[in-house]
Amino acid sequence: MSKAISNQELQERKLAAFARGQGNVYPVFVSRAENAEVWDVEGNRYIDLGTGIAVCNTGHSHPAVVEAVRKQVAAFSHTCVMINPYEVAVELAEKLTRLAPGSSVKKAMFVTTGAEAVENCVKIARASTGRRGVIAFTGGFHGRTNLTMGLTGKVAPYKHLFGPFPADLYHAPFPIAAHDVSVEDALRGLQHVFKASIAPSDVAAIIIEPVQGEGGFYPAPVEFLRALRALCDEHGILLIADEIQTGFARTGKMFAFEHADVEPDLMTMAKGIAGGFPLAAVVGKAAIMDAPLPGGLGGTYGGSPVACAAALAVLQVIEQEELMRRAVEIGTAFATRLRSLQQEFPSLILEVRQVGAMIALELVAGAESGAGSGSGEPNVALTQRCIQLAASHGLILLACGYYGNVLRFLPPLTMPDDLVVEALDKFEVLFRAAISSEG
């Protein structure tokens, strides 16, 4: 009988075999997972509040996704959609173009990762407009390729040591009331970019996350998204919605731009699209999507038949199990408990943010009373202590934020009520333990 392997042994092997830059948050190696629960190789159980960074919106190993994948693999696993296409890819493109916000006729294309989707949005925008510039926002995250690192609005750890980055990429301030950046401030910042860096007539696109992901789960105000739409229309600029982390029912709508009733010109989709299988898409207005010539878009694995089959199953689960409604229910339960914790620790918790089942807890040191005041210093130490203690409390928990002082909660949208309560009970104990150990 072979000896059972430990997390520590696997971590040592990983450190010896993996490049240092591809680290891991927890020295916990997964053996199996089901819905919102994960078990490691030593048999320890965890409640997953990260879902692979908003990937498993339908939970781990949803039976419908598993069955769709099994059926597709038994038929064939790959031919390349640009050589011999297949019905599952056509059906998925048809469904995504119908689901995308707005009444315009849409088209789609498939790639493998979110960063690829962003890169292809930029290619399509430049081909459609004949312009060069792209404007993104501070705190935004758009990927780890050279171009998408250039668009990302945070240096460490994503951009440090990796430059130079492509030219004609610019950044404007993102409106965050809790940090005293108003919608008016952000719009003035865009006008400053137009005056100081690039004329609006040279800008191909503005890209924005409707809720910043890595940046700290800050939602873009509805009035800001509508103002961007008007600004883009005025200057012939394309508006790109980066819905990689916000899509597929995560925010209580299929896509977060729907909260503002704004139709983007192009959208990126990934993460929750296929229940954990590598797939990403660009969906946009048909005339814009058709700007590149045949052969100008693609990729060997883009639109994998296995991933497309999984994605069709995910869409079916979202509809049948009413996961948009469920996202709001779960998010409300989390926000209610976390706001009670904020009332108890007002000098440590600056703000609780919640859009559907995207929930954040921003931690500070010495905040004045009253959330959103912008007071207090980012409490990175307490944030990291919560992460360090999470596994020992049976939780998988993630951090984010411009300063690294935000705890983010991304529970599966299929998470049952009893696990929601258990997870929140565990987090309260964890949070108090983190405070005690910091003090």
Side-chain angles (χ1 to χ4, degrees), residues 38 54 103 155 188 209 212 256 376 399:
V38 171
S103 59
V155 174
R188 278 195 296 270
E209 299 166 279
Q212 286 198 332

Side-chain angles (χ1 to χ4, degrees), residues 3-21:
K3 177 182 174 239
I5 198 161
S6 70
N7 287 314
Q8 182 178 347
E9 289 174 287
L10 283 170
Q11 182 68 12
E12 290 170 358
R13 286 169 55 186
K14 179 185 179 291
L15 291 173
F18 273 60
R20 182 178 65 168

Side-chain angles (χ1 to χ4, degrees), residues 227-400:
L228 282 184
R229 179 70 276 176
L231 186 72
C232 287
D233 290 342
E234 178 185 354
H235 294 291
I237 298 169
L238 301 185
L239 181 59
I240 300 173
D242 185 334
E243 293 261 11
I244 289 168
Q245 193 161 164
T246 53
F248 299 95
R250 173 55 60 181
T251 68
K253 300 281 189 181
M254 185 61 75
F255 299 104
F257 256 65
E258 296 177 67
H259 290 287
D261 194 25
V262 169
E263 179 179 7
D265 298 298
L266 296 166
M267 296 178 63
T268 60
M269 305 175 183
K271 289 195 181 292
I273 191 173
F277 287 83
L279 182 67
V282 177
V283 174
K285 295 176 179 177
I288 295 168
M289 292 291 292
D290 279 344
L293 299 175
L297 304 175
T300 302
Y301 295 107
S304 154
V306 179
C308 286
L312 288 171
V314 164
L315 291 176
Q316 185 177 49
V317 170
I318 289 172
E319 181 181 0
Q320 291 180 346
E321 300 187 17
E322 299 182 2
L323 294 190
M324 285 182 276
R325 175 187 58 79
R326 184 61 181 156
V328 176
E329 291 175 353
I330 291 172
T332 300
F334 270 79
T336 299
R337 286 282 294 273
L338 294 175
R339 289 192 175 110
S340 294
L341 206 59
Q342 181 187 22
Q343 290 177 353
E344 186 176 349
F345 300 102
S347 65
L348 294 176
I349 300 174
L350 176 67
E351 190 172 52
V352 177
R353 294 185 286 277
Q354 180 239 335
V355 183
M358 288 184 80
I359 313 107
L361 197 68
E362 183 161 355
L363 303 181
V364 292
E368 298 171 5
S369 60
S373 65
S375 62
E377 293 298 317
N379 200 333
V380 180
L382 179 57
T383 307
Q384 285 305 307
R385 188 64 182 148
C386 289
I387 298 298
Q388 291 161 7
L389 292 174
S392 65
H393 286 75
L395 296 177
I396 297 171
L397 187 63
L398 303 177
C400 65

Side-chain angles (χ1 to χ4, degrees), residues 135-140 171-190 206-212 215-228 351 353 362 372 402:
I135 298 174
F137 292 90
T138 54
H171 288 89
F174 188 88
I176 301 173
H179 295 281
D180 298 322
V181 181
S182 67
V183 169
E184 292 73 21
D185 293 333
L187 291 172
R188 278 195 296 270
L190 270 171
I206 295 175
I207 184 168
I208 188 169
E209 299 166 279
V211 182
Q212 286 198 332
F217 280 27
Y218 298 105
V222 166
E223 61 267 33
F224 186 66
L225 292 179
R226 291 177 178 172
L228 282 184
E351 190 172 52
R353 294 185 286 277
E362 183 161 355
Y402 195 70

Side-chain angles (χ1 to χ4, degrees), residues 109-114 116-118 120 278-282 298-299 301-304:
M109 58 93 54
F110 294 119
V111 285
T112 311
T113 69
E116 283 182 274
V118 172
N120 278 277
L279 182 67
V282 177
Y301 295 107
S304 154

Side-chain angles (χ1 to χ4, degrees), residues 134-204:
V134 182
I135 298 174
F137 292 90
T138 54
F141 180 84
H142 300 289
R144 294 176 182 269
T145 61
N146 191 253
L147 175 65
T148 57
M149 279 191 296
L151 290 170
T152 291
K154 181 181 177 182
V155 174
Y158 309 116
K159 301 168 79 166
H160 183 53
L161 302 178
F162 297 135
F165 302 110
D168 297 319
L169 306 179
Y170 307 89
H171 288 89
F174 188 88
I176 301 173
H179 295 281
D180 298 322
V181 181
S182 67
V183 169
E184 292 73 21
D185 293 333
L187 291 172
R188 278 195 296 270
L190 270 171
Q191 293 300 327
H192 178 75
V193 172
F194 291 154
K195 291 291 185 184
S197 301
I198 185 169
S201 58
D202 286 330
V203 176

